[in-house]
Amino acid sequence: GAVVSQHPSWVICKSGTSVKIECRSLDFQATTMFWYRQFPKQSLMLMATSNEGSKATYEQGVEKDKFLINHASLTLSTLTVTSAHPEDSSFYICSARDPGGGQFFGPGTRLTVL
Amino acid sequence: AQSVAQPEDQVNVAEGNPLTVKCTYSVSGNPYLFWYVQYPNRGLQFLLKYITGDNLVKGSYGFEAEFNKSQTSFHLKKPSALVSDSALYFCAVRDPDRGSTLGRLYFGRGTQLTVWP
């Protein structure tokens, strides 16, 4: 089956630093990747949609300069949280869509900003 | 606008009993519907989807879901629950107007399923 990996699975950083999260589709090419944020016991909040080779489309209220998304290839997308602050602490989940329209999720990255 | 409702925050069942996790949807056209499961501190795992065809969709781990157009529902079911089925379940709908390869997923708020031994 389709597998999506994320790295790192968890990260702790100091306030003001930047953190990069990688999302890879391991056995299929993903023309579209999605980044979600999930707060405890809540549903997923879509942050942005990225298509390979083009700029990401951000949801309303998501700061594009703070959450930088790069989708440089059909198997890799990165989310960089710039100048992270404690309120950015969350569970970040990526998702990749395969050519058949199926959407598969990564295992998530737990970010804790001190 | 597309939306999904999961009316129950929590469902509790005894092991061996049938389970149902409810989902209703609202879309402007023919829906693409999905069920995902999430275990603690993990991403979402795909269970099943309805795009077209038979109203009863069979998925992973013995789960199935029935698409009911007249009731705009897509309830998740399993004939005999296992303790290991305990997890958070999300129903989702994709914007049909943008086709199967485009469009975002709209998620319900999730239902915590607890299966008691």
Side-chain angles (χ1 to χ4, degrees), chain A residues 38 43 59 97 101 103 107 110, chain B residues 36 38 41 43 94 103-104 108:
Chain A
Q38 186 181 31
S43 189
E59 295 298 303
R97 182 166 292 167
Q103 189 164 336
R110 173 74 59 192
Chain B
Y36 290 88
Q38 184 181 32
N41 295 310
R94 175 174 297 157
R104 55 170 290 182

Side-chain angles (χ1 to χ4, degrees), chain B residues 4 11 37 49 53 68 86-87 97:
Chain B
V4 174
V11 170
V37 60
K49 67 179 178 182
N68 188 317
S86 299
D97 292 334

Side-chain angles (χ1 to χ4, degrees), chain B residues 12-90:
Chain B
N12 300 312
V13 298
E15 187 172 35
N17 283 2
L19 70 86
T20 299
V21 183
K22 296 179 180 178
C23 172
T24 59
Y25 64 89
S26 174
V27 297
S28 56
N30 293 318
Y32 300 137
L33 295 158
F34 303 80
W35 274 102
Y36 290 88
V37 60
Q38 184 181 32
Y39 296 97
N41 295 310
R42 300 299 302 275
L44 273 65
Q45 294 181 29
F46 172 78
L47 281 180
L48 50 82
K49 67 179 178 182
Y50 171 83
I51 302 296
T52 187
D54 290 341
N55 289 343
L56 185 63
V57 180
K58 293 189 182 295
S60 307
Y61 312 119
F63 284 93
E64 58 188 29
E66 186 168 12
F67 170 63
N68 188 317
K69 188 172 184 178
S70 63
Q71 296 184 4
T72 62
S73 67
F74 190 56
H75 302 330
L76 181 70
K77 300 181 180 183
K78 187 172 182 179
S80 179
L82 299 172
V83 173
S84 57
D85 292 330
S86 299
L88 188 58
Y89 290 80
F90 289 100

